Amino acid sequence: MPDSPFKLLDPYGPEEKDIFFGRDAEIVALYHLLKQTRLVLIYGGSGTGKTSLIHAGLPKVFKITDWFRLSIRRKDDINISLKETLSRFLEGDNNNLTQQIQAIYQNRWIPVYLVFDQFEEIFTLGNEAERVTFFKTLQEILDANISCKIMLSMREEYIGHLYDYEPYVPTLFDKRFRLEPMKDVTTQEVIKKMCAVNGIQLENDELISKGILQKVKLGKQAAYLPYLQIYLHYLYNHAISNSGAPVFKKQDIDEIGALGNILKRFIDNKITEAQAYLHQFHLSDDFAQQLLDEFATSEGTKLSMTVPKLAHNLKVKEELVSKTLLYFSATAKLLRADENDVSRYEPVHDVVAQQIHELRTAEDKEFKAFVRKLELDFQRWEKDERS
């Protein structure tokens, strides 16, 4: 059976800009906003496609000579990650960040865009000292006369945390861009285009696209785009096994049924398949789930982990950890490797971390919540001591 062509939970990247559909108006609006200012705060709910909008949407309107995008994730410390990202494009050692950014610009004569994706991690994982250092650095960059613009992209439920740091960056909220959930009519058009570009026929374009939309919607809420990708994946496999041809019919939709707990089923299946694969390495029967558990915080948000740290936490050889991670990234596609650090992995999407958290026992959830409370109490104490 041919592999499903759908992306599942992976965001779209620059190489996929031509198959990134449904956000034309938002792409143009964000592009014009970036022309007006040097700092833009981008926010929206989980699953609205913020990462894809930046990495696949903006390349539709930016010429390659218009922007040099540097994507920075927090990893273990956002300040260290920023320095490491800049140093990869420079020779020699210069500790002045603004000079480094200017040197990168002068090497190419292309404006530098610093993209801090999933910026909420500075609050879910970081500490007070790290945050203060970052926001002070952010203002230093904005104060400098250099060709650099900054995008902070984050989940909207964490925006309230930014107010404590507005004194360090007075223009933090001046230019904001909220990515709204996709409207139903737009989602239907996206379904049609995604099917067309992947050579999938619809028995009736309007009827089938509307039928798929209704199956992935929960009440009157907008369709959750990651669930849509997974649903289309299951629908494709079902259609191929039924008729051997990539044709979506009403019968297929009726047989697949409503969305239900499709993400739980999807991840449960991947864990079961991973455990069967890992059996050859004589690991414990729950090793796959143990490893995945390392990638979610006590609140069900994403954690990035390195091979050495996982090997230490799980008390197994790094080689076995690497084999498991390769399976979860290349085959199961629940994790992805960092593009600049082959030993570091993270969940491909927020919803994977949420589901990992849901798989925990009540006792595990309580223990992790207790540990996190101690960490937060300590951070508040540190902040008060500095005041």
Side-chain angles (χ1 to χ4, degrees):
M1 186 170 70
D3 290 337
S4 159
F6 295 103
K7 290 185 61 61
L8 299 176
L9 297 169
D10 275 329
Y12 287 84
E15 69 283 358
E16 296 162 317
K17 64 179 183 178
D18 294 333
I19 58 169
F20 176 61
F21 305 120
R23 291 297 194 185
D24 291 350
E26 291 86 348
I27 291 167
V28 172
L30 179 55
Y31 173 77
H32 286 300
L33 189 60
L34 286 165
K35 291 294 183 182
Q36 300 169 20
T37 184
R38 291 183 58 202
L39 173 63
V40 174
L41 173 62
I42 302 164
Y43 63 101
S46 174
T48 48
K50 299 179 293 296
T51 298
S52 295
L53 176 70
I54 294 169
H55 296 287
L58 288 179
K60 289 188 174 191
V61 288
F62 272 110
K63 295 178 182 176
I64 196 169
T65 54
D66 285 344
W67 75 330
F68 183 63
R69 176 182 55 83
L70 299 180
S71 185
I72 301 107
R73 292 288 305 281
R74 179 187 174 269
K75 298 181 183 178
D76 295 322
D77 185 299
I78 198 166
N79 301 295
I80 295 172
S81 293
L82 174 56
K83 291 176 182 177
E84 289 177 346
T85 300
L86 296 177
S87 66
R88 284 199 300 271
F89 299 93
L90 293 168
E91 295 180 1
D93 186 17
N94 186 331
N95 292 324
N96 187 306
L97 283 176
T98 57
Q99 290 179 4
Q100 287 182 322
I101 295 169
Q102 183 64 6
I104 291 172
Y105 167 69
Q106 290 175 339
N107 286 344
R108 293 167 174 77
W109 295 111
I110 301 174
V112 177
Y113 282 72
L114 301 180
V115 178
F116 294 91
D117 198 8
Q118 299 182 42
F119 187 65
E120 68 273 4
E121 290 176 339
I122 198 173
F123 300 111
T124 61
L125 304 173
N127 57 47
E128 179 66 12
E130 176 187 349
R131 293 191 280 267
V132 169
T133 299
F134 174 78
F135 284 106
K136 286 182 176 179
T137 299
L138 186 60
Q139 188 58 45
E140 287 175 13
I141 295 172
L142 293 172
D143 286 339
N145 185 25
I146 55 178
S147 186
C148 174
K149 297 195 177 190
I150 299 165
M151 286 182 266
L152 306 178
S153 176
M154 65 188 299
R155 286 163 58 177
E156 62 185 348
E157 60 264 40
Y158 292 95
I159 277 199
H161 295 283
L162 290 173
Y163 287 102
D164 287 342
Y165 304 94
E166 194 175 9
Y168 298 107
V169 186
T171 60
L172 191 56
F173 293 99
D174 283 6
K175 297 294 182 180
R176 288 179 282 179
F177 183 89
R178 183 176 190 268
L179 185 59
E180 304 280 352
M182 195 174 284
K183 295 180 179 178
D184 286 358
V185 64
T186 306
T187 304
Q188 274 190 252
E189 289 305 309
V190 168
I191 292 169
K192 295 174 191 176
K193 290 178 179 178
M194 287 170 63
C195 290
V197 80
N198 288 304
I200 299 168
Q201 296 181 349
L202 304 183
E203 186 179 47
N204 177 303
D205 281 5
E206 199 62 29
L207 179 67
I208 298 302
S209 62
K210 186 175 182 178
I212 292 171
L213 173 66
Q214 294 305 316
K215 294 297 183 183
V216 298
K217 278 172 61 70
L218 299 174
K220 294 184 178 180
Q221 296 179 7
Y224 195 50
L225 299 182
Y227 289 171
L228 173 62
Q229 291 275 0
I230 294 175
Y231 188 88
L232 290 172
H233 166 79
Y234 276 115
L235 187 60
Y236 179 88
N237 288 340
H238 182 80
I240 291 293
S241 17
N242 261 8
S243 62
V247 180
F248 289 173
K249 302 176 181 177
K250 184 177 183 301
Q251 177 185 344
D252 296 316
I253 297 174
D254 292 340
E255 290 174 358
I256 285 286
L259 177 68
N261 202 355
I262 197 169
L263 180 64
K264 181 179 186 303
R265 175 162 54 123
F266 176 74
I267 293 180
D268 283 346
N269 288 343
K270 294 301 181 183
I271 292 175
T272 302
E273 292 167 5
Q275 201 58 57
Y277 166 77
L278 295 174
H279 184 72
Q280 62 185 303
F281 304 120
H282 308 291
L283 293 162
S284 64
D285 290 342
D286 61 348
F287 181 75
Q289 188 164 335
Q290 284 182 31
L291 181 135
L292 278 183
D293 189 68
E294 294 289 321
F295 288 93
T297 67
S298 60
E299 294 90 3
T301 56
K302 295 195 322 186
L303 271 174
S304 71
M305 300 289 290
T306 62
V307 171
K309 188 170 183 179
L310 286 166
H312 175 267
N313 291 354
L314 299 171
K315 297 178 174 57
V316 296
K317 294 180 179 178
E318 289 187 17
E319 178 186 1
L320 292 175
V321 170
S322 295
K323 289 180 184 293
T324 308
L325 291 171
L326 182 62
Y327 183 87
F328 272 123
S329 58
T331 304
K333 297 183 178 179
L334 295 181
L335 303 176
R336 62 166 167 246
D338 187 281
E339 59 183 8
N340 299 308
D341 182 355
V342 294
S343 74
R344 182 180 291 275
Y345 287 75
E346 68 172 3
V348 295
H349 198 278
D350 296 331
V351 296
V352 175
Q354 291 167 9
Q355 189 57 45
I356 291 170
H357 179 63
E358 290 305 313
L359 290 172
R360 291 168 175 158
T361 64
E363 292 80 7
D364 284 343
K365 289 179 181 178
E366 287 179 9
F367 177 74
K368 289 181 182 295
F370 173 72
V371 172
R372 181 57 176 162
K373 183 178 184 303
L374 289 179
E375 292 172 348
L376 292 173
D377 287 344
F378 179 71
Q379 288 178 24
R380 279 192 286 271
W381 175 83
E382 279 189 313
K383 184 177 180 180
D384 291 342
E385 285 294 300
R386 289 191 183 92
S387 302

